[in-house]
C-alpha cells in the first residue's frame, strides 16, 4: 500500500518466527491496535510478543487518515436511544480519554509526529441531517461541541457540527517511537489457533509455534470463525483517498454525513481528500479515484496528486467496536476489532482495556464495548440485512456457471477460482484496486490470488498452477522412477561382474568375466 505515511516513515525489518517459543501473551497483528496493546503490556511487565503476517504496520493503519477524535459520524443520538445515556457516556469518555492519552505518550517520549490539536467537523450540504441534535446529544455526554451553519470548506454547507480539542498526527512516526522493547515477528502468518487447555493456547505459523497463556486477536478481522462468530457480526467497507499538493489548508478536519460525503484533512503541506465509500465487493463499475480527481480539480485547479490509496474498515452491526473477551467461555482469548472508520481512538482505548484485563486490573466502563453485549433492535435489523447479503452471495457462487476466471500474462496463464476460501462466497472484481474482494466478509486478493486482507487465510485456488504442479510432480516421479529403474539395471549388471586378475604381482583390476557375457 503506497500511502503518504509509509512514504515518510520506514521501519526496520524484523525477523520471522523460525522456532517454537513460549510467552505469557501473544498479540496477532502489528497494526496500531496490536502494537499499542503490546506497548501497555510491556510497561506492565508482561512478557509479550507480536505476530504479523506481512510487514509491521502494512495493513489498515498505513491507510488511515489518522483523525484522533471522539466524533464518530452521527453516533451519539443513536447510542443514547439504543443503549441509554450512561453507556453512551462510557463510549464518549473512552474516546475523549484516548485523545489525551496520545498527547501524554507523545510528550513523555518526545515523539515528533506532528501531533496537533484542532476541531473536528461533520457537515451536510443538501438537507437537514439532524446535526443540531447530534451536537445536543454530544453535550449531554460531556463533549465540547457546537452547532454551526458555515465552515471553511470550498462549497456552502447547510449544517455543521464542531467538536473542539480533537487532534491529528502522523501514525507511523508515532508508532516508530513506542516500539523499543517489543518483540515482533514479521512475515509470520498464523494459520491455526489451538486452545489446548485453560491458560494454554498454541498458535501455528509456517516457521514455528507460539505457546501462550493469553492470546489477543488484533488482526483487523478475526480469522477464527468458531467460537466468536465474528464473521456473522461484521462486514467491511472500503473508501478512497488522494494526497494532494497545492490544495487547501484547513484549520480543522471534515467529514460529510451524506452517503456521498467527502473527507478533508491536512497533513503539513498536503491535503488528504477522501470519499467513495462502499461495502467491500460493491465497486464493479470502478471510477472512485476518478471521481475524487475530478472534484479536486474543480475545487483546486492547481493541485497535484502525489499518492492515492484505499482503506478497508470492519463495521459492526451497531457501530460500536468489539473489545474484550473473544468469547464468554474462552477467558484467555481477547479481541479488538470493528473500529469502523475510527481506528485511532478505538485502538488506544481497546489496547488499554485489554491490557488491564490481562493484568487483572479492574476495568471501569468497558461494558459498552463488550463482544457479548445484548443485541439492540437496530443491531437485529443490521444482522438480518448482513445475513441476506451473505446468503445471496453464497447462492451466486453455487449457481454460477463460470466458477473461474482466466487470463494470460507474458510469463504464465492464470485460472483463479472465484470462490472465497474463507466461507465460500462469490468474489467480485474491484477495477480501481485491481483486486478480488469478498462481498460477504471482506477478504481481498490480488489478481494472482495472493491474500491482501483477511479473514481468509489461504490464497485463491489457481487451477492452472495446480494443474502444472500435478504435472511437474508426475513428471518428477516418472523421471525418478526411470532413474531408479536404470540404477537397478546397472547394479544387476554389476552383480554379474567377476573379479579377475590381470598382470602380475598385487596389481588388481576389474574386468568382465567372459563366461558372464
Amino acid at each position: 500500500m503506497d500511502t503518504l505515511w509509509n512514504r515518510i516513515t520506514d521501519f526496520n525489518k524484523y525477523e520471522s518466527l523460525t522456532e517454537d517459543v513460549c510467552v505469557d501473551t501473544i498479540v496477532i497483528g502489528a497494526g496500531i491496535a496490536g502494537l499499542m496493546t503490546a506497548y501497555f503490556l510491556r510497561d506492565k511487565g508482561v512478557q509479550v510478543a507480536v505476530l504479523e503476517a506481512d510487514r509491521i504496520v502494512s495493513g489498515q493503519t498505513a491507510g488511515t487518515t489518522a483523525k484522533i477524535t471522539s466524533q464518530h459520524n452521527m453516533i451519539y443520538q443513536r447510542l443514547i436511544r439504543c443503549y441509554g445515556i450512561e453507556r453512551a457516556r462510557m463510549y464518549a469518555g473512552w474516546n475523549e480519554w484516548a485523545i489525551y492519552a496520545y498527547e501524554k505518550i507523545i510528550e513523555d517520549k518526545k515523539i515528533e509526529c506532528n501531533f496537533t490539536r484542532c476541531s473536528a467537523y461533520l457537515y451536510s450540504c443538501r438537507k437537514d441531517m439532524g446535526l443540531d441534535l447530534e451536537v445536543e446529544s454530544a453535550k449531554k455526554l460531556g463533549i465540547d461541541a457546537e452547532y454551526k451553519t458555515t465552515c471553511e470548506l470550498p462549497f456552502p454547507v447547510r449544517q455543521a457540527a464542531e467538536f473542539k480539542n480533537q487532534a491529528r498526527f502522523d501514525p507511523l512516526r508515532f508508532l516508530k517511537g513506542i516500539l523499543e522493547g517489543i518483540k515482533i515477528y514479521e512475515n509470520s502468518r498464523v494459520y491455526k489457533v489451538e486452545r489446548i487447555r485453560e491458560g494454554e493456547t498454541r498458535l501455528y505459523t509456517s516457521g514455528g509455534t507460539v505457546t501462550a497463556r493469553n492470546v489477543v486477536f488484533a488482526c483487523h478481522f478475526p480469522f477464527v470463525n468458531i467460537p466468536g462468530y465474528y464473521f456473522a457480526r461484521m462486514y467491511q467497507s472500503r473508501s478512497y483517498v488522494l494526497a494532494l499538493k497545492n490544495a487547501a489548508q484547513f484549520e480543522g478536519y471534515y467529514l460529510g454525513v451524506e452517503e456521498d460525503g467527502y473527507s478533508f484533512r491536512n497533513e503539513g503541506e498536503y491535503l488528504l481528500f477522501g470519499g467513495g465509500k462502499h461495502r467491500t465487493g460493491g465497486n464493479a463499475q470502478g471510477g472512485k479515484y476518478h471521481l475524487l480527481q475530478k472534484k479536486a480539480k474543480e475545487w483546486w485547479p492547481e493541485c497535484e496528486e502525489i499518492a492515492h490509496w484505499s482503506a478497508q474498515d470492519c463495521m459492526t452491526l451497531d457501530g460500536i467496536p468489539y473489545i474484550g473477551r473473544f468469547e464468554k467461555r474462552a477467558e484467555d482469548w481477547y479481541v479488538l476489532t470493528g473500529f469502523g472508520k475510527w481506528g485511532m481512538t478505538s485502538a488506544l482505548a481497546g489496547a488499554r482495556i485489554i491490557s488491564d484485563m490481562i493484568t487483572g486490573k479492574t476495568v471501569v466502563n468497558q461494558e459498552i464495548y463488550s463482544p457479548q453485549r445484548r443485541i439492540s433492535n437496530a443491531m437485529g435489523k443490521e444482522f438480518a440485512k448482513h445475513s441476506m447479503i451473505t446468503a445471496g452471495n453464497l447462492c451466486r457462487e453455487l449457481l454460477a456457471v463460470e466458477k473461474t476466471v482466466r487470463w494470460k500474462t507474458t510469463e504464465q496463464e492464470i485460472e483463479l477460482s472465484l470462490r472465497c476460501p474463507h466461507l465460500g462466497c462469490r468474489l467480485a472484481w474491484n477495477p480501481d484496486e485491481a483486486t478480488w474482494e469478498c462481498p460477504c466478509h471482506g477478504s481481498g486478493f490480488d489478481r494472482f490470488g495472493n491474500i491482501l486482507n483477511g479473514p481468509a487465510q489461504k490464497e485463491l485456488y489457481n487451477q492452472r498452477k495446480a494443474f502444472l504442479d500435478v504435472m511437474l510432480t508426475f513428471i518428477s516421479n516418472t523421471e525418478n522412477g526411470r532413474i531408479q529403474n536404470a540404477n537397478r539395471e546397472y547394479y544387476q549388471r554389476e552383480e554379474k561382474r567377476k573379479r579377475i586378475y590381470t598382470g602380475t604381482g598385487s596389481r588388481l583390476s576389474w574386468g568382465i568375466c567372459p563366461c558372464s557375457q
Side-chain angles (χ1 to χ4, degrees), residues 288-303:
K288 301 299 186 181
Y289 288 124
H290 176 71
L291 173 64
L292 293 176
Q293 290 159 353
K294 182 179 178 181
K295 278 293 180 184
K297 285 297 183 181
E298 177 185 327
W299 290 326
W300 312 289
E302 302 301 319
C303 70

Side-chain angles (χ1 to χ4, degrees), residues 409-422:
T409 69
T410 55
E411 299 177 352
Q412 60 181 315
E413 186 173 347
I414 296 170
E415 184 175 1
L416 292 179
S417 168
L418 292 180
R419 184 179 186 273
C420 180
H422 175 229

Side-chain angles (χ1 to χ4, degrees), residues 1-67:
M1 186 185 297
D2 181 24
T3 72
L4 176 66
W5 313 119
N6 55 29
R7 285 189 176 195
I8 296 171
T9 305
D10 290 324
F11 287 91
N12 295 328
K13 290 186 177 181
Y14 293 85
E15 64 182 0
S16 301
L17 183 65
T18 57
E19 59 183 351
D20 298 339
V21 299
C22 295
V23 295
D24 181 89
T25 300
I26 189 69
V27 178
I28 307 174
I32 193 166
L35 292 175
M36 291 312 300
T37 302
Y39 168 81
F40 285 132
L41 288 171
R42 179 203 64 191
D43 282 1
K44 294 173 186 290
V46 176
Q47 183 194 21
V48 61
V50 181
L51 292 172
E52 168 58 41
D54 196 351
R55 290 292 316 281
I56 182 175
V57 201
S58 61
Q60 303 314 312
T61 300
T64 180
T65 53
K67 299 174 180 178

Side-chain angles (χ1 to χ4, degrees), residues 274-415:
K277 65 181 179 180
H278 62 85
R279 184 183 177 116
T280 307
N283 187 34
Q285 301 302 316
K288 301 299 186 181
Y289 288 124
H290 176 71
L291 173 64
L292 293 176
Q293 290 159 353
K294 182 179 178 181
K295 278 293 180 184
K297 285 297 183 181
E298 177 185 327
W299 290 326
W300 312 289
E302 302 301 319
C303 70
E304 175 188 352
E305 179 184 324
I306 65 147
H308 66 263
W309 66 90
S310 67
Q312 191 163 300
D313 301 292
C314 290
M315 317 296 287
T316 65
L317 301 179
D318 60 357
I320 304 171
Y322 298 127
I323 299 169
R325 300 200 187 279
F326 190 92
E327 204 267 342
K328 191 174 182 179
R329 293 166 293 178
E331 295 191 354
D332 42 15
W333 287 16
Y334 303 86
V335 66
L336 304 89
T337 190
F339 299 156
K341 308 290 182 180
W342 313 106
M344 297 298 99
T345 52
S346 298
L348 196 66
R352 175 64 183 273
I353 290 169
I354 297 299
S355 62
D356 283 351
M357 293 177 74
I358 287 174
T359 53
K361 185 176 179 179
T362 301
V363 183
V364 180
N365 297 334
Q366 179 268 341
E367 299 91 327
I368 188 64
Y369 289 118
S370 172
Q372 290 79 47
R373 60 182 176 266
R374 68 175 178 82
I375 298 177
S376 66
N377 291 334
M379 194 174 178
K381 292 177 182 177
E382 283 296 311
F383 176 78
K385 177 182 174 183
H386 176 65
S387 298
M388 289 180 66
I389 292 172
T390 300
N393 279 285
L394 285 168
C395 289
R396 272 193 284 275
E397 169 58 25
L398 290 172
L399 299 175
V401 176
E402 293 291 335
K403 299 287 188 179
T404 62
V405 62
R406 307 177 189 177
W407 76 93
K408 290 183 179 181
T409 69
T410 55
E411 299 177 352
Q412 60 181 315
E413 186 173 347
I414 296 170
E415 184 175 1

Side-chain angles (χ1 to χ4, degrees), residues 487-503:
N487 287 339
R488 189 180 302 112
E489 292 173 0
Y490 170 78
Y491 287 116
Q492 286 174 350
R493 287 198 308 271
E494 286 299 305
E495 287 176 2
K496 295 180 181 180
R497 293 177 182 270
K498 304 272 186 188
R499 196 177 198 188
I500 59 174
Y501 291 87
T502 60

Side-chain angles (χ1 to χ4, degrees), residues 32 45 98 129 169 182 197 255 359 387 450 461 475-476:
I32 193 166
M129 296 291 290
F169 71 157
I182 300 176
R197 60 181 67 88
L255 178 69
T359 53
S387 298
N450 301 309
Y461 182 66
I475 293 169
S476 177

